[in-house]
Amino acid sequence: QKMLAWQRTSFHFQPKKNWMNDPNGPLYYKGWYHLFYQYNPEAAVWGNIVWGHAVSKDLIHWQHLPVAMVADQWYDINGVWTGSATFLPNGDLIMLYTGSTNELVQVQNLAYPADPSDPLLKKWIKYEGNPVLIPPPGIGLKDFRDPTTAWTTPEGKWRITIGSKINKTGISLVYDTIDFKKFELLKGALHGVPGTGMWECVDFYPVSKIVENGLDTSENGPAVKHVLKSSLDDDRNDYYALGTYDAGAGKWVPDNPIIDVGIGLRYDYGNFYASKTFYDQEKKRRVLWAWIKETDSEAADICRGWASLQSIPRTIKYDKKTGSNIITWPVAEVENLRSNNNEFNKVVVKPGSIVPLEVGSATQLDIMAEFEIDQNVLKKVDGSNATYDCIKSGGSGERGALGPFGLLVLTDNSLSEQTPIYFYIAKDLTGNFNTFFCNDLTRSSEATDVRKLIYGSTVPVLQGEKLSLRTLVDHSIVESFAQNGRTAITSRVYPTKAIYENAKIYLFNNATDISVTATIKIWQMNSANIKSN
Ligand code: DQQ
């Protein structure tokens, strides 16, 4: 246990011990942010699921509270599963969640705070008429879970959506309600995509095409686009698409069917699942949480006594510059943990070289880096390899004309353990560039019980933009963002040597034909204050 102690994070949310998975019902209430989460109070593996609960003033420093809801009724005795919060116009709060019944049927239940005057919302009452929804005809008894936050319809009713599947088509069912006790199923679905399987933890919300603020879930109109997100049970990733919502019909259509939900864009191209957003009415932003699972063995989880993290909460916005994706970015409050700024200006990294960045211990960092490349050199390089793929490539060791180049984090002095985060530029025969953003875990640990994949995808780079990345390092998690959050990659990393003061950071350039000029700011990060209950 002691050996693995360093893997515990310092500014990510995690319970003191045991297993955690999905974020549930995040909300802001009477001065406090609340995070509920799927929690096993008994062990560091999934099971006995109840709602863990913690509160924060700033989404960074947390106070753990007693479990909010336990499995004590026939309709949730096999698990108090994922759910979402809705504020009513009078400020009242309701929670809808999935229960796994005594017969393992998935049903939806209603709960509300026992004492709305308690800003900590410690006690919850389950509605006596639960369950409020059972699987409708034609839907599998175990394919009906994770109700969303409700939004209002043009008729003034409430509307929710719930993920499911029919054969291999992932769908999201739509229900209208007046009181959250009786529901009416709409015909068809909000949307469905063949071949995507069960849709878990569906999220559905508006983003503004014009303003920087986030939007409350019921907002709509010509300046709004709607994001539909689904967590695909089959491949354990969170996919989204931008599209148009028809409130009259209760249907949503993707802007581009080629990148529909489940077959196109992801919030994050690493380890990031079962995410949920909420509208933060205090700061007028939409905030995204996600479950970051372990990628070592279950035996290691049990030995450590805990499993899983929550991502750093991110603000989520429509990308006005590209018009084709959203951007996710760590909430501004994270920056309050920054101390000891180290700056490295215009460091030239030649083809095939590495440059150490002296910052002391490199286990708790916030890194911002920009890379410049001589445009004349870029023009001269022959085009040929436009079809690069991070995942199928040879990783950071495979050299191309224009990449890879970037950072090595959680790296020991001998470089035997290293976690590269990098760009790779591919140029086609017509002179067009395609930029990829990748994270190679193949050499991240000498432990043998760790999954060591290469993650990544393309990132849009517009005319005149420098390549930029930001990376948060926190012991066993690395969260990276390219081009201010257009593409993100989160990974869990388990070095055995690159720990404590032996963890270093380097610049590297494995391109054969270009030098890159890097300008970097690196902050040491203070630990968040996490109080036990
Ligand atoms: N986790 C919950 C389910 C949800 C799944 C159970 C997603 O409600 O579908 O712990 O990780």
Side-chain angles (χ1 to χ4, degrees), residues 151-301:
W151 66 96
T152 49
T153 70
E155 297 168 296
K157 294 181 185 169
W158 290 104
R159 180 168 286 171
I160 58 165
T161 186
I162 303 179
S164 186
K165 67 169 177 182
I166 293 180
N167 299 320
K168 290 205 168 108
T169 299
I171 58 168
S172 203
L173 300 167
V174 184
Y175 288 91
D176 283 358
T177 182
I178 290 164
D179 55 7
F180 295 94
K181 294 171 181 166
K182 288 204 178 66
F183 290 80
E184 175 202 345
L185 176 63
L186 269 63
K187 277 218 177 73
L190 181 66
H191 190 56
V193 182
T196 55
M198 177 65 197
W199 283 13
E200 295 188 316
C201 302
V202 168
D203 200 3
F204 184 65
Y205 55 88
V207 286
S208 174
K209 291 195 268 186
I210 296 164
V211 301
E212 287 294 305
N213 286 348
L215 299 179
D216 206 344
T217 314
S218 294
E219 298 241 11
N220 202 355
V224 163
K225 280 201 169 293
H226 273 81
V227 175
L228 177 60
K229 184 278 299 189
S230 156
S231 303
L232 295 200
D233 197 12
D234 289 355
D235 86 4
R236 313 302 283 174
N237 288 304
D238 278 14
Y239 287 85
Y240 77 93
L242 285 160
T244 304
Y245 168 57
D246 175 350
K251 306 245 181 262
W252 172 94
V253 189
D255 286 350
N256 178 356
I258 293 172
I259 49 169
D260 204 342
V261 181
I263 56 171
L265 301 172
R266 281 165 53 178
Y267 280 164
D268 188 295
Y269 289 85
N271 170 355
F272 193 93
Y273 194 66
S275 67
K276 189 179 293 300
T277 64
F278 75 101
Y279 177 67
D280 170 3
Q281 64 274 32
E282 175 71 4
K283 293 248 161 81
K284 311 233 175 312
R285 60 186 170 179
R286 185 161 286 274
V287 177
L288 171 69
W289 281 104
W291 165 38
I292 315 299
K293 65 177 186 288
E294 303 296 326
T295 49
D296 61 352
S297 62
E298 195 169 275
D301 299 350

Side-chain angles (χ1 to χ4, degrees), residues 5 77 90 100 111 167 186 209 311 335 414-415 421 471 509 529:
I77 199 75
N90 62 1
S100 179
N167 299 320
L186 269 63
K209 291 195 268 186
S311 64
E335 294 161 33
S414 70
L415 305 182
I421 298 145
T471 293
N509 179 8
N529 190 348

